[in-house]
Structure formats: C-alpha cells, structure tokens
Amino acid sequence: MSTVTSFDNRPTSVEPKREGGPARWLKAHLGLLPTFAALLIFLAMIVYGEIAYGRILQASTVSNLLINNAHLVILAVGLTFVILTGGIDLSVGAVIAFSSVAGVLLTNAGWNPWFVIVLMVLIGSLFGLISGVLIQFFDVQPFIATLAMMFLARGLASMLSTTPERLADESPMRGLATQFKLVDGPRVNDLVITPGVIIAVVVVLVAVFLLHRTRFGRTVYAIGGSEQSSTLMGLPVVSTKLWVYVISGTLAGVAAVVYTARLGSAQNITGIGWELDAIAATVIGGTLLMGGAGFVLGSVVGALVLGLMNVLITRDGGIRPETTTIITGGILLVFVLLQRAVASRRRE
Amino acid sequence: MTAPVPPAPVPIVEMKSISISFPGVKALDGVDFRLFPGEVHTLMGENGAGKSTLIKALTGVYRIDDGEILVGGQSRRLTGTADAQDAGISTVYQEVNLCDNLTIGENVMLGHETRGRFGINWTATHRAAVDALEKLGLGHLNPRQPLSTLSLAVQQLVAISRAMVAKSTVLILDEPTSSLDANEVEGLFAVIRRLRDQGVAILFVSHFLDQVYAISDRMTVLRNGQYQGEYLTRELPRAALIATMIGKEVASLASLDSERAERDHLHTDEPILRAEGLGRKGSIDPTDLELHRGEVVGFAGLLGSGRTELARLLYGADKADEGQVYFRGKKVDISTPTRGLAHKIAFSSENRRDEGIVRDLSVRENLVLAVQAKRGWARPLSKRDKDAIVTKYLAELNVRPADPDRPIRNLSGGNQQKVLLGRWLATKPELLILDEPTRGIDVGAKAEIQEQVAALADDGVAVVFISSELEEVVRLSDRIVVLKDHRKIAEIINGPGVTADLIVNTIAEEGVPAGADAAWSTPADREVSE
Ligand SMILES: Nc1ncnc2c1ncn2[C@@H]1O[C@H](COP(=O)(O)OP(=O)(O)OP(=O)(O)O)[C@@H](O)[C@H]1O
Ligand SMILES: [Mg+2]
C-alpha cells in the first residue's frame, strides 16, 4: 500500500451537497411557501363562505370583490416594490386623500378632466419622489420619511377641504367606474368589470414583468437581500431605491383615481389606515418585511383575502363589523409566524 | 519611418501618489501603483497595510484625498463599482459580496442578465451563468439553487465567476483564495493565466507566498499605508519580500514550514467530548469522534467534504438528527449554540462577515461579546475585566490599529479575523472549535496565532482546528481527522513523516485504515527532515 503517490490522481473539485429530489425542490422553493399558504387560505375562505352562507362562488360576488378592492390591489403592488427593497411607505393612504380631493376640486372648477386624472397620478409620483430623495440623499429612515409625507399629504388634503366633495355624475372620471358585462348570467348574477379593474390588472401585469423580467426588478430583490453587497456588485442601488418610492407614490395616485371614480366623491379623511391594509396584504401574500423575498401576485391574493373577509363578515351578519380588524390582525400574525418559520428553515 | 525600439508597455491603470485618510488613520500615504495588460500584479503587505483600501480607491468606493488615477492613459475618477465596470474593471472585493436571498445563477448574472424581446431571458441567463461557473470547475452546480445552500468557499468561487461574466480588461481579486484549498486554487490560477494570456491585467492579493510566487509577474509592496516599491517577482526572493513587508530582517521563518512543531501533549484517558454516530442528513454521515484535553485535532478534507458541517454539529450550530454526544462521559444534548457554550464549547465560524463580527459594534464590544454571553447578561462584566481582556488580546494577536473603540467594520479583513479569534480565546473554553481561524491573516500573524493555539492546548484545552491550508493543519495538529464526501475516512496520528501530501493521497485513495500511522513514517516522504 503505497500512500505517497503523484498528485495526478487528485480527487476532482468541489462535491455538490447531496440532497434528495423533493427535499431539494422544497428547499429551493421555500420562498413560495407563504404565498401558497395565502392562496390556500383564500380558497379555504371561499369554500367556507360557500358552505356557510352560499352565493360566494358566483359571478356577481366575484365581480364585486374585484371592483371594490381594485384600489387596494394597486396600493399593495406599490408597497410590494418598496417592501422588497427592505423599505416601507406609510404615506400612500394620505396621498390618496390629497390626490382625490385635489382632483375633484379641480374637475369641478372646470379643468380638463383627463388632464386632472394625469395630475392626480403625478401628485402621487411627486410625494414618492420626495420620500425617495429624503431616504436616499438625506439618509432619513424610510419609516420616518414616509411618515412625514403622510402627515404632509393629510394636512394638505384638509387644507383643501374638510367636507365630502362630490364629483358631478356626468364627469368622464366616473366613466372609469362604468360597469361592463362580460358574461350575462341569470338574473343579477353577471360577471361585471370596470375600467378600474382593468387598470388594476394592467398594473399587476406590468409589475410582474418589471420585477421578474427586467434588471431593475432584479436589483430590487438584490437590494432587499443586501444593500451593501448590491452596491459593491455595481448595481444601480441609488436610482433603484428612488424609483421604488416613485412607483409606490405613483400607484397611490392611480389608486386615488380608481377609488374616486367608483365613489364619485372625495374627502380629506379618505384612506386613513389604507397604507396598513396594503402592508398587511403584502405580508399576507408572502413578502418578507425584511425585504428580498416575495411576489406581486402574492400581494394580490393578500388584498383579495382582506376583501373577501369583509364580504364574509357582512354576509354573516352575526359578527360585528368592528371585529374585522381583530380578524385581520389574527391572520397577519399567523402569516408573520409562518414566515419566521420559513426564514429560520432557510438559514440552515 | 521605422521604430527600432519596441514601445515601452503602457500601463492600463496608473495610480500616482494616492493618499486616503480615515479618522485617526492614514490608510494610504502617497502610494504609486501601475498595472500592465497581460500581467498578474500582486499587492503585498501585512494586515492593515492598505491593500483593500488601494483597490477601493481605484474603483471609487473610497474617495481619494490626493493623487491621480489614470485608466487607459486618461485621468479618471471612478465613482463606484458600476462606474469601474463601465471602464472595464471587474472587482471581487475581500468579503464575499453576494445576495443570499437569490439563486446562484441570479447572483452570477445580476446586472448582466441576457435580455430578449420579453425582458430577461432566464433560460439563456442561466445558461450563461453555468458557462461562467464551469470555468472555475463549478459546472455541476444548479444555477437555480439558492446561494445560501453553498459553503463560504464555494460562494467565493461564485463571486469570482461573477467577475468573469463581464469581459473586462482589468480584473481585481482581493484575497480570492483565502478559503480555497489547493485544488480550487489550481483551477483559479489556470483561469487567471488564460485571462492574462488574453491580455487582461490582473490585480491579485494573497497572504500565501507560494501562491504569490506561482502566479504573479510583478509585485507592489505596501507597509503601513506607504509604498515600499515595485518589483518583478523573479527578482525578489522571499526573504527580501518579507523583510520589505515587515520592515525588518526576519531571522528565521522556521515556524512557517510544513513540518509539525514538536509538542508534548497531556494524554488523558477520558475524552472531554465523545461523539457516537453523530450525523445529520444531507450534511455529514454518522461519525465517531473523541476529543481529549490538551490535544489539537485537525479536520482535513477538500471543499465540501463536511469539515465545517461536523464542527457545527459539535457546537450545536446545527442540530444533529442522529447519534449521541458525551461530555466528560455524561450524555448531553447540544442542539443549540447556547447549550454548547454552557458546556464551555466555543466555535469560531468561517463566515466572519455574517456569523462572526458585529459590524457596528466597537472592537472592544466584539472582543468581550462571547465572555459576556457566557456569564449571562444579568451579570455585566466590569470595566476593569473588559479592559483586561481587551488589552491582552489586542496585544497578543497584534491587532492593528490597537484602538478598542474603533467600530470593527473599519478594521482590515485580517485584523477583524484576529479580533474574532480573540473573542473565543477569551472565553477560556474547554473545547475550542476554530473554523478557518487564519483566513486572510498575514504570514507573521499566522505564526503568532498558531502559537496561541498551541499554548491553549498546553493549558489543557481541547482544540478542533479546521483549515483549507493542509500544511497548517499538519503543523499544528496532534491528530488529524480526514473527511471526504461528508464522511470521516481516516484518523491519522501526527508524527514524523505525516505531511500535507500524505493527507492529499489519503483522500485520493481513500479507505486507508486509520491508526496505521507506523506505516506512514516511511522514508518515502521526501520532506521528512529539513
Ligand atoms: N472604512 C474605513 N474606516 C476607517 N478606517 C479604515 C476603513 N477601511 C480601512 N481602514 C483602515 O485602513 C487601514 C488599511 O486597511 P485595509 O483594509 O486596506 O488593509 P489590508 O491591507 O487590505 O489588510 P488585510 O490583509 O487585513 O485585508 C487599516 O488600518 C484599517 O483599519
Ligand atoms: Mg484587505
């Protein structure tokens, strides 16, 4: 047995870690788990609703769910971008208030309604840009910067008006809430959508494309993973972080348009706490608050979970509406715990 | 018109009298540096000499206070990695900078994804990633696997692959080999040579003199932030290089050769720790192991052989799913690090950036962290005790600058490593597990650390020593556990004739029965005696 031989038969390079098929698949896709769970809960709620109250899985209920939650879906998409980078945007609810009050006042003052719609969206962009600049160039914590924007926007909205401002019924903006029958069901059971819903769908699709098919999107995820590494990898961290807040602000503007169109009026107290609903939707949908992991489609499911919960509570009649927030809190807690479990599995 | 004399080569990068100061430190003081196409240029210097700072000055991560940087003959001020990349400079910084929430392929290709009509074409992107990985012998990796499943050494290779993706004219590698073993280093060098022959200019940093002499054409030596000179490698013998780096003649480098330093160790009968069939699915097969007081046990093996995995089970950093651990003959449950620490087992992780230092705390806080944790937070260390620990280890490990109040992130990589080591030494453990403790540490300090470890063993501590540098394992260990493919394949009692080559061969041939040490002290070993 000669132990000292030439170096030629050195063993080959790095061995891969051995792991079985399903175990490996699970490990590789652990990040999907919370989103799957959200989907599961959503389906379970539908099944429960159908059994307990009936008339859930029907065209009109689905239509209403989409129409009534289009604005929340749009907001949740915006927050997904921000949260993926590890940031937060608390200003969106207040931005909606300011944008919609300003929009209605300007429309009623005779401005070109299409121009006003664009302006409403741009108001959102501007708030987002200011947050982004504060965070990126003045080193303000995202929480604080967007909190400041929240107070600012809410204050401006209240300066404009403190009473509900009605939008004239014939205003073109209301056209965004026109209901189109897609499928003419029996009696009132039609599948209906509005331009607002279409806008939400387009927003979601564009967001999915941006996040998964562009370098910008990949940078968003990378920043959430490690901002320092991303910088040293030569990724455009500064511009990406600015854009993320601009996107969130802009989508708040879009949500303002969609919501105002549906409601036909605007008020300075609109949207209080919506930023928290949107954050909840995002988290329920599987996006980690630490950033770096999550999916836009998950956030959509999250928003629909919240929407459906309201429907079920209304249907039940026995549950006091005030308990909605308690249930939301409960669901949120379950999901955050689930994420923790996943995160700790992942670290191993 | 004819040109009888071939034109002198034009440097692609030229840095002229560069100075950078950080509060309290002049990190670079009028340093000159030139990098030529088709050459490997090594930057040499002790820990804290300013090598990484010079690199970051070049790529614009740090702003220079004074001096001029020419790239391709033109004066340039780069503003960061992205800008440097545009100027044709790819950089792999000292600490592995990747995103472990993304997959391997995404990390390799971030910022260089292949784009088609519908945005990023992931199939093509992952194919390109595999191509890049293949060049460094990582072709078997699945690019869709999360990066977090890889060991630090493989991550280091992934980071290097990433730098290869952009076809650059300048490639900067700051300590790329610090956690690689001989095979990977050879593979990396083959790639470096090929790039060099294609005309790429390569800036290389390493504390391994063998590697430096094997790969580099030219060297620039720094000391305390000052330029010591530029030399052709073939014209600067090792002793002269070390003298230039350290600033004084070094009488003997005996402690640095690969023979084991002779050392008596107490042999007690009862092992301090005994593992029976200790294993964890997917990371290490059931293993028996005994560790005695006063003994240094080296874990040797190639990358991915399970060295780190076994060590993590012993400390409770990972949870074993089979087997038992006996501590002083009593069966114990070491399933979390806290339990490990309670049994006076200390573990210094190979991953100093993520599992080691606490970036924003001071050197002092980092040093006393483990001692404090062991005492429990209810009984804070007195200022005097803290100072005693801090003074002792800053001096013994030669941490520079020896300023305990500096945030540790501002220390050079090697000096961070020294602090980390000091943290565990200070816990006065009964069993100390050191995973790559000398990673990124310069030649002088390495010898000091080895002495420290030996002294600790003399005091009766059981030490597990893991290093990808086999010579170091051989030099220090009383017993060597050889691992391969997540399995213990041999246990060698160290003695005359045991060399790094022998271990390499054991791994290559596998199945050499353990304990047959007599057979191994044959004269067939060339390097038995100096
Ligand atoms: N960001 C910083 N802030 C303050 N001081 C720093 C900073 N970066 C480096 N230094 C100091 O500058 C000096 C040079 O550090 P540098 O990292 O360049 O050393 P190095 O030669 O790369 O050493 P090593 O071999 O340990 O990596 C050290 O004294 C270090 O403490
Ligand atoms: Mg360095």
Side-chain angles (χ1 to χ4, degrees), chain B residues 453-514:
Chain B
V453 172
L456 218 60
D458 289 341
D459 288 348
V461 178
V463 180
V464 170
F465 188 85
I466 306 177
S467 170
S468 50
E469 193 194 349
L470 283 180
E471 287 76 11
E472 191 181 39
V473 175
V474 171
R475 203 177 310 133
L476 211 57
S477 310
D478 301 309
R479 195 149 50 89
I480 300 169
V481 171
V482 185
L483 293 136
K484 179 181 182 181
D485 292 348
H486 311 265
R487 199 154 64 70
K488 174 169 134 183
I489 58 165
E491 213 173 288
I492 301 172
I493 296 182
N494 206 349
V498 175
T499 61
D501 291 6
L502 179 85
I503 293 173
V504 169
N505 284 306
T506 309
I507 295 170
E509 290 177 10
E510 193 179 339
V512 179

Side-chain angles (χ1 to χ4, degrees), chain B residues 22 25 27 46-53 62 94 175 207 401 410-415:
Chain B
F22 296 112
V25 206
E46 294 179 282
N47 292 135
K51 305 178 295 294
S52 302
T53 306
Y62 293 153
Q94 184 167 7
E175 298 199 27
H207 290 292
N410 290 352
L411 259 55
S412 78
N415 283 304

Side-chain angles (χ1 to χ4, degrees), chain A residues 3 212-213 215 218 292, chain B residues 101 106 113 120 122 162 505:
Chain A
T3 46
H212 296 282
R213 291 249 158 192
R215 290 183 182 171
R218 299 329 289 168
Chain B
N101 60 325
E106 284 170 339
E113 293 92 346
I120 296 172
W122 282 111
R162 179 181 156 71
N505 284 306

